């Protein structure tokens, strides 16, 4: 477990460094010394892999809370979305119920958008939709 935490911390640091402004951009920078060229190329490849995994996460609608774990699994070569966030057994029924409620609200919101309901009328529309 300790090794995974250390590895996750290292990957998180890499992700943070890669998201810093100007990372991997060569415009306006001094030429890289030959002895550091390998490291620059390696970082560029890593950034490309991270960007690819981030894109996959977006395409698969991975929740923000699950995204770091998804990216780590993706970088390790694991295919498909990871397991969902772990919910304690005593809260699983409540989580499932909330998930169903959210799906109903999302459906009513979508209907409101399709029917071009005005913003001022939207809450009443959604409430009425949920009561049906």
């Amino acid at each position: 477990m300790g090794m995974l935490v250390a590895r996750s911390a290292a990957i998180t640091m890499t992700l943070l460094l890669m998201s810093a402004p100007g990372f991997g951009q060569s415009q306006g920078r001094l030429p890289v010394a030959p002895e550091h060229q390998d490291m620059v190329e390696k970082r560029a490849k890593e950034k490309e892999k991270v960007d690819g995994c981030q894109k996959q996460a977006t395409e698969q609608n991975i929740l923000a809370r699950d995204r770091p774990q998804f990216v780590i699994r993706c970088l390790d070569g694991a295919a498909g979305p990871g397991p969902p966030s772990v919910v304690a057994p005593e809260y699983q029924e409540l989580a499932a119920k909330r998930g169903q409620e959210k799906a109903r609200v999302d459906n009513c919101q979508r209907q409101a958008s399709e029917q071009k309901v005005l913003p001022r009328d939207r809450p009443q529309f959604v409430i009425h939709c949920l009561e049906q």
Side-chain angles (χ1 to χ4, degrees), residues 27-84:
Q27 308 95 308
R29 293 211 166 180
L30 295 173
V32 177
E35 64 269 23
H36 297 298
Q37 193 65 44
D38 287 349
M39 185 172 69
V40 169
E41 289 172 12
K42 184 178 173 191
R43 283 212 178 130
K45 284 180 185 164
E46 286 172 358
K47 183 178 184 331
E48 205 172 287
K49 283 175 75 174
V50 170
D51 288 349
C53 289
Q54 291 282 17
K55 185 177 176 221
Q56 282 182 44
T58 301
E59 289 169 354
Q60 294 180 33
N61 297 320
I62 301 299
L63 297 175
R65 68 175 185 220
D66 297 328
R67 190 174 276 251
Q69 195 60 38
F70 176 88
V71 171
I72 289 166
R73 284 173 40 83
C74 174
L75 291 172
D76 283 344

Side-chain angles (χ1 to χ4, degrees), residues 92-108 130:
Q92 284 179 351
E93 188 177 329
L94 182 62
K97 185 177 175 187
R98 283 220 175 116
Q100 289 170 345
E101 288 171 2
K102 183 180 181 327
R104 287 182 61 219
V105 170
D106 290 349
N107 182 40
C108 289
L130 290 171

Side-chain angles (χ1 to χ4, degrees), residues 4-17:
L4 181 62
V5 171
R7 188 168 188 290
S8 293
I11 290 174
T12 302
M13 259 326 261
T14 303
L15 293 174
L16 288 173
L17 287 172

